Amino acid sequence: MELIGREPQLRMLADAISDAKNGRARAVTVCGEAGSGKTMLLDAAAAEARDTVHTIRIAGHPAETDLPLAGVHQLVREARFDGVVTATGQDPLRDASALLEALTTLARRRPVLLVVDDAQWLDGPSHRALVFVARRLDADAMCVVFGVRSPHDEHLTVGTRLDVGPLSRQESLALLHRTYPQMSARVAAKIAQQAVGLPLALCEIPAELDAAQQRGTEPLPADLPLGRSITGLFAKRLAALTDAARLCLLAASFDTLSPTAYVAVLRRLGCSLDDLDEAERLGLARLREGRCQFRHPLVSAAVRNEARSQHLVAVHRALVTQFADDPVRLASHLKQDPNVDPETLRTAVLQGARAARDARSYDDAAELWKSASQLASEPTQKRAFLREAVRCLALSGAGPEARTLIEQLLAETTEAIERAQVLRDLTWLSLWTQSVAPHDDERIEAHGIELIQAGDTRTREAGRDLLAALATAMLGAGEYRRAQQVCATLHEHVADRLTLEQRLLCDVIAVMAGEPGGGALLRGRWTDSYPWQHILDPATPAGFITVVPGWLGEYEIVDEVIAHCRRATDEYGPSASGFYIASSMTASQERRQGRWDRALLEFEALERMVIDTDFAAPYPFIALRHAHLLAARGDTSSCELLRQQAREQAPAWVPILAHLDHAVAGLLALSHRDFTTALQHLDLAGEIERQVGLVPSGYLSRFADTFEAAWRLGKAADRLGDLTAFEKAMDGVGHVAMLGLATRCRALAAAPQHMDALFADAVDKLSREPDGFETARTHLLWGERLRRARRKAEAHKKLSLAHETFVRLGAGSWAEQCNAELAACGIRRINDPALASGPAAQLTPREFEVAREVAGGATNAEAARRLFISERTVEFHLSSVFRKLDIDGREALRVIMEA
């Protein structure tokens, strides 16, 4: 199995082995902390070379450290040197020389790879003998690799030093996903945080959790279990500590404390800094500038896992006193004291929950609200606190856990309005976590109507909001006809009481269903009146409301929406839904503006953000939108990879995902002139549209692509009835660009004497789309028809215009089609310059995100908050951006990013 995050180290070891095979002996020392994966790295290197070298493996063991020549005897046995090498220890030089002679003789027959793992535990004579061998190899076909645990004495390093550091966060998450594909993203993030990049911990910690905990539907323990191997690294040393030393370590393991605060906590525990001496002697911790620093990243977790209950209570009590002015930390420690006064605890937990929520620390807030619910005596209060927990879990992206609480609330709630609120939460959670609307949508709709007809204002509003949430879920799940029916119910019962957001939602659904007059409200001046704080709430339909104006060609409104989203994030704090809305709009806008390189980076960044939360449902939609852009470029391998990932990550492969997937596959096939395959996929997409009640192809050029494929196969006449229906629907919603595509279809089917006027009309309508892609496709088709009519000079002009745009956009396959047509006109092939790639193409997705925020005027702190990363991470990526773009300041970055 491929090792994640160890490619550079594997290459270095492979190079060393290659040198040895060519008669240039090498010695390498692989250094890393316990659990860093040294042994797996050595295994992988040996496995890769097993067919070309003779591999000998030995390992030190702590039980044999004091046994002279135990390591040499192990080597003699493994290499079958019995009778050849007889080590007695009486003459160390003679023993080492005999070992060297035996190994070099063996290497003359076949290259030798000698792997010595855990060399820090070798007995002294064996270590000296092996170092003697390694240092005297020269023109020998032999490579010696030592594995040594860090920190270690420098004398253990022989030859080239190769450090094996911790995996990055992304590498850690990738390892967890590969090993546990069903694991919740939120659970994986918590495991990655505790494992601090150590592969052994990443493998052992999740193995201690049950399936529900891995999926995120059940809460994790306060301290994650470490696993047998990790625990064994520290167990004996921890057991050897005095009680005072254990208390000192335990106090340092819970919170970051200043030197003064640490001393104060120790004093309350009856301890002092001197009590850390034993822990320092055993290699567990050290005192630096008044702070306790753990010598291994997992010591703090091991200390808590091995702590006695009375020690835990004592430390929590000491920390409660220390954090009297910090309500969140106070509550977190106070609730661990089994003897605390119940009323005192309830008050503290509520204050902590509110403080964490107000500080936008949604993970902490959710835990404290759940605790508040458990402590509440009144059932109504219990449920109210649980709903607060659901909201905080939603804001932090913890979908499965939030859904578990919702189902609990649904079982316990009977009061009509409260039940409507719970059902409302259930609808959006179904959408965000499973890509589907609630299975009992008819019952939910009936409950909403019942509330609306009840009479009093509050009850009617609860019913209205429930129906609006149901319509949103139906829209998001791609059940457009059903969403249209729910909107009709809203208009029938409470048309005069709909909020602006709900009226905009109904207008979006009208557009998607092709209702005449649909989009009228969306084209109006509504952005200054919209409640933008709602984008932080996953229940909001803002994600759908904000994307349709761009599809309608209202780009000024789109710019206003993006600006409002960013201001709302700055003012109200980041959230998973807010980031998703702002980033998805930005990616779509970059595509429309013809900045396709930047759009691709935006899509990649957005995919990574969604993967890092438990709101898995948006990922396949984003991946397929990304794939559609790659299909427009004709990038087959990247497009197919994203299609596969969308299928693998989708909670359910619902019809609307299948529709989008077929549209992508159809466009990709069309870009490579595989018209039969294109028509098959595009017709399947059209059938799904008819099933779900989707009229305008879901923001895509699906209908025009279908007609073009049919025309190229000589089947355009069979599609003229569909074209008339499409024209009528697009005229009803006033979509100029879609009408331009329809006109292009008419031009394809028109007689030669009518085609020029129709193509010119199509170009005029499509020229309002800034990226120029569909205009260029129109010029290509126009040029092709002109060439067939033997009007080659005119065809040359149209094809050259198309070629220029395709090259600018990086659409290589379409540029090739232009070249083929130009060649048929007798024009020499146009040598394409490197397909368009602006400065953004040099940056990684994360560097691009940081550059975009800073170029927009954000400080490092603001960029960190918006991107859910640390200021230090922003500084790191920003310096990389400056280096890659060869600039030295923010103003220069702004100019480049705006270019």
Side-chain angles (χ1 to χ4, degrees), residues 490-615:
L490 280 168
H491 282 294
E492 177 185 352
H493 294 283
V494 285
D496 58 335
R497 293 178 176 271
L498 294 178
T499 66
L500 171 61
E501 184 173 69
Q502 290 163 351
R503 287 186 287 121
L504 287 165
L505 168 66
C506 290
D507 201 30
V508 167
I509 292 170
V511 169
M512 303 311 295
E515 291 182 16
L521 182 58
L522 289 162
R523 289 188 171 98
R525 308 305 302 175
W526 55 272
T527 57
D528 290 337
S529 304
Y530 187 81
W532 289 106
Q533 69 273 20
H534 284 194
I535 69 166
L536 307 182
D537 184 356
T540 181
F544 307 108
I545 292 169
T546 53
V547 74
V548 175
W551 178 72
L552 291 172
E554 301 295 335
Y555 300 122
E556 288 186 11
I557 294 178
V558 172
D559 289 337
E560 292 173 11
V561 166
I562 293 174
H564 277 296
C565 285
R566 296 200 178 279
R567 280 197 293 272
T569 298
D570 289 341
E571 182 175 354
Y572 301 107
S575 74
S577 56
F579 187 91
Y580 168 72
I581 291 169
S583 296
S584 60
M585 289 201 60
T586 302
S588 297
Q589 186 75 329
E590 294 289 4
R591 176 176 181 173
R592 293 190 193 100
Q593 295 296 330
R595 297 187 286 264
W596 284 14
D597 284 328
R598 292 176 62 148
L600 291 171
L601 287 168
E602 291 283 359
F603 277 122
E604 289 178 25
L606 183 54
E607 287 159 13
R608 185 174 61 249
M609 186 281 294
V610 172
I611 287 172
D612 284 348
T613 73
D614 279 340
F615 287 146

Side-chain angles (χ1 to χ4, degrees), residues 822-880:
L822 286 165
C825 291
I827 308 299
R828 287 185 60 189
R829 176 186 179 90
I830 300 176
N831 291 320
D832 298 340
L835 292 174
S837 58
Q842 304 176 50
L843 308 179
T844 66
R846 179 63 84 193
E847 289 168 351
F848 174 76
E849 286 182 295
V850 170
R852 180 195 64 208
E853 296 297 336
V854 171
T859 64
N860 287 1
E862 289 169 339
R865 187 169 63 253
R866 292 174 184 175
L867 299 176
F868 300 89
I869 57 179
S870 68
E871 283 190 59
R872 185 174 179 182
T873 301
V874 170
E875 292 166 3
F876 173 79
H877 288 300
L878 192 57
S879 64
S880 180

Side-chain angles (χ1 to χ4, degrees), residues 708-742:
E708 179 183 337
W711 172 74
R712 291 187 178 281
L713 294 171
K715 301 177 181 179
D718 300 336
R719 309 290 171 139
L720 292 176
D722 294 337
L723 176 56
T724 299
F726 181 74
E727 287 171 323
K728 182 178 179 181
M730 293 304 96
D731 187 56
V733 297
H735 198 302
V736 177
M738 284 289 187
L739 288 170
L741 293 176

Side-chain angles (χ1 to χ4, degrees), residues 145-327:
V145 182
F146 294 90
V148 179
R149 180 176 295 182
S150 298
H152 61 271
D153 293 334
E154 199 57 39
H155 78 275
L156 293 176
T157 301
V158 184
T160 303
R161 175 176 175 138
L162 179 57
D163 287 306
V164 181
L167 299 177
S168 69
R169 181 176 184 274
Q170 289 303 120
E171 290 164 346
S172 298
L173 294 174
L175 177 57
L176 287 168
H177 177 69
R178 187 179 70 183
T179 312
Y180 299 93
Q182 301 306 314
M183 181 178 287
S184 147
R186 300 265 306 159
V187 172
K190 290 183 178 180
I191 292 173
Q193 181 179 11
Q194 175 152 317
V196 289
L198 298 180
L200 181 60
L202 290 166
C203 292
E204 290 204 349
I205 292 174
E208 299 293 323
L209 304 176
D210 62 36
Q213 289 173 323
Q214 290 178 9
R215 290 194 301 270
T217 55
E218 291 295 331
L220 297 174
D223 270 311
L224 292 172
L226 290 180
R228 185 175 60 184
S229 299
I230 296 293
T231 301
L233 292 174
F234 313 110
K236 287 185 179 179
R237 285 178 285 172
L238 290 174
L241 291 174
T242 63
D243 285 353
R246 292 185 189 187
L247 287 169
C248 290
L249 294 180
L250 196 57
S253 73
F254 281 109
D255 268 294
T256 301
L257 298 167
S258 69
T260 303
Y262 186 47
V263 169
V265 170
L266 294 187
R267 191 179 299 118
R268 294 187 190 98
L269 292 168
C271 304
S272 70
L273 294 177
D274 292 340
D275 292 316
L276 275 172
D277 290 348
E278 184 69 9
E280 190 159 4
R281 186 184 67 79
L282 291 170
L284 292 169
R286 59 186 175 186
L287 194 63
R288 290 291 183 272
E289 298 178 354
R291 296 177 187 270
C292 175
Q293 295 181 353
F294 295 107
R295 298 296 294 270
H296 188 281
L298 293 175
V299 171
S300 59
V303 167
R304 293 193 299 273
N305 273 280
E306 296 295 311
R308 300 168 187 164
S309 58
Q310 64 267 34
H311 287 173
L312 286 168
V313 172
V315 170
H316 282 301
R317 286 175 178 169
L319 290 170
V320 163
T321 305
Q322 185 62 40
F323 295 128
D325 297 328
D326 184 333

Side-chain angles (χ1 to χ4, degrees), residues 3-58:
L3 293 184
I4 292 174
R6 299 301 186 213
E7 294 82 4
Q9 291 89 347
L10 277 172
R11 281 197 301 272
M12 289 183 66
L13 288 174
D15 289 344
I17 295 169
S18 177
D19 285 346
K21 288 190 291 186
N22 291 317
R24 297 187 299 274
R26 292 286 301 275
V28 180
T29 301
V30 177
C31 308
E33 293 175 326
S36 61
K38 297 184 301 300
T39 299
M40 292 184 70
L41 178 64
L42 297 177
D43 288 345
E48 192 173 301
R50 64 175 173 267
D51 295 333
T52 57
V53 300
H54 178 73
T55 302
I56 305 169
R57 294 201 60 162
I58 66 171

Side-chain angles (χ1 to χ4, degrees), residues 189-503:
K190 290 183 178 180
I191 292 173
Q193 181 179 11
Q194 175 152 317
V196 289
L198 298 180
L200 181 60
L202 290 166
C203 292
E204 290 204 349
I205 292 174
E208 299 293 323
L209 304 176
D210 62 36
Q213 289 173 323
Q214 290 178 9
R215 290 194 301 270
T217 55
E218 291 295 331
L220 297 174
D223 270 311
L224 292 172
L226 290 180
R228 185 175 60 184
S229 299
I230 296 293
T231 301
L233 292 174
F234 313 110
K236 287 185 179 179
R237 285 178 285 172
L238 290 174
L241 291 174
T242 63
D243 285 353
R246 292 185 189 187
L247 287 169
C248 290
L249 294 180
L250 196 57
S253 73
F254 281 109
D255 268 294
T256 301
L257 298 167
S258 69
T260 303
Y262 186 47
V263 169
V265 170
L266 294 187
R267 191 179 299 118
R268 294 187 190 98
L269 292 168
C271 304
S272 70
L273 294 177
D274 292 340
D275 292 316
L276 275 172
D277 290 348
E278 184 69 9
E280 190 159 4
R281 186 184 67 79
L282 291 170
L284 292 169
R286 59 186 175 186
L287 194 63
R288 290 291 183 272
E289 298 178 354
R291 296 177 187 270
C292 175
Q293 295 181 353
F294 295 107
R295 298 296 294 270
H296 188 281
L298 293 175
V299 171
S300 59
V303 167
R304 293 193 299 273
N305 273 280
E306 296 295 311
R308 300 168 187 164
S309 58
Q310 64 267 34
H311 287 173
L312 286 168
V313 172
V315 170
H316 282 301
R317 286 175 178 169
L319 290 170
V320 163
T321 305
Q322 185 62 40
F323 295 128
D325 297 328
D326 184 333
V328 178
R329 292 159 99 180
L330 170 66
S332 298
H333 291 295
L334 192 63
K335 68 179 187 175
Q336 304 301 326
D337 186 347
N339 298 318
V340 69
D341 174 64
E343 189 55 40
T344 300
L345 180 58
R346 273 194 294 269
T347 302
V349 167
L350 276 175
Q351 289 175 346
R354 292 178 181 124
R357 179 192 60 196
D358 294 343
R360 298 156 190 163
S361 299
Y362 297 122
D363 281 326
D364 291 334
E367 290 303 315
L368 290 171
W369 282 121
K370 286 190 291 182
S371 296
S373 176
Q374 292 168 357
L375 294 167
S377 55
E378 293 293 326
T380 304
Q381 268 193 335
K382 283 180 176 289
R383 295 194 298 272
F385 294 155
L386 272 186
R387 286 200 301 275
E388 288 282 358
V390 168
R391 180 176 180 273
C392 291
L393 288 169
L395 288 169
S396 63
E401 189 174 352
R403 186 178 177 88
T404 298
L405 294 185
I406 284 294
E407 290 170 350
Q408 177 184 336
L409 280 167
L410 201 58
E412 297 173 356
T413 305
T414 56
E415 195 273 328
I417 294 180
E418 188 180 350
R419 188 169 180 81
Q421 293 170 338
V422 176
L423 286 170
R424 177 176 175 269
D425 288 338
L426 179 63
T427 59
W428 63 259
L429 272 170
S430 294
L431 178 62
W432 279 82
T433 60
Q434 297 178 313
S435 299
V436 298
H439 63 86
D440 50 354
D441 60 286
E442 292 183 356
R443 182 171 62 85
I444 292 174
E445 183 179 14
H447 186 61
I449 294 172
E450 181 182 338
L451 292 174
I452 288 172
Q453 294 174 338
D456 66 278
T457 301
R458 183 165 172 264
T459 306
R460 285 169 62 85
E461 288 178 352
R464 174 202 65 189
D465 294 345
L466 178 57
L467 290 179
L470 181 60
T472 302
M474 292 296 174
L475 172 64
E479 298 183 31
Y480 299 100
R481 188 171 291 109
R482 186 73 179 92
Q484 189 180 21
Q485 293 168 354
V486 177
C487 281
T489 300
L490 280 168
H491 282 294
E492 177 185 352
H493 294 283
V494 285
D496 58 335
R497 293 178 176 271
L498 294 178
T499 66
L500 171 61
E501 184 173 69
Q502 290 163 351
R503 287 186 287 121

